Amino acid sequence: MAAKFILKMSGEQFMFNLQSANGQTVLTSERYTTKAAATSGIASVKKNAADDRMYEMTGSGQRFNLKAGNGQVIGGSQNYASGAAAKDGMDAVKRAAAEALVDAQT
C-alpha cells in the first residue's frame, strides 16, 4: 500500500489525514472552510515535510506539529508514548508526504 492523503469532510469543513504505507495515520490536518484550502494544505505538507525546522514538539515532547513557511500549523500528530516515538512519527511523515497520492473522499 502506498502512502496517501485522505481528504474528507468533517462536519461542514474539510480536513485530511496522511497515512503512511502501513496504513497508520501519521498527521492530521487543521480544519479548512473550503476544499481548495485543504488541497493547498496538502501541497504545503508536501513542500515542508522534509524540513526539520518546520516541526515543533508539543505536549512534553510526545506530540509534534508541522508548520508552513508562514508559521501556521498545517497538521499535528497523535500522542506518542515517548519523545523517541514522536520523532519516529516525524520521520514517517518525512518519508510519506512527498510521494503520497490524494484520496479525495468528498
Side-chain angles (χ1 to χ4, degrees):
M1 177 173 148
K4 63 183 173 180
F5 289 95
I6 299 175
L7 176 61
K8 60 186 179 179
M9 295 289 296
S10 177
E12 297 291 319
Q13 296 182 314
F14 296 86
M15 51 115 21
F16 59 85
N17 289 317
L18 174 58
Q19 285 187 347
S20 64
N22 68 4
Q24 294 290 325
T25 298
V26 293
L27 190 75
T28 299
S29 75
E30 302 297 307
R31 303 301 188 262
Y32 298 91
T33 56
T34 66
K35 185 175 181 178
T39 300
S40 292
I42 291 170
S44 185
V45 170
K46 287 179 171 266
K47 177 181 177 183
N48 293 293
D51 188 342
D52 288 334
R53 298 171 300 167
M54 298 303 186
Y55 293 88
E56 68 176 358
M57 299 301 286
T58 63
S60 302
Q62 294 176 307
R63 287 181 51 87
F64 63 85
N65 288 327
L66 174 62
K67 292 185 171 188
N70 64 4
Q72 294 280 99
V73 173
I74 311 165
S77 73
Q78 64 183 12
N79 285 318
Y80 288 94
S82 68
K87 288 190 185 290
D88 288 345
M90 283 192 294
D91 289 341
V93 171
K94 291 174 190 175
R95 285 190 305 273
E99 301 300 321
L101 302 176
V102 178
D103 178 3
Q105 299 180 357
T106 60

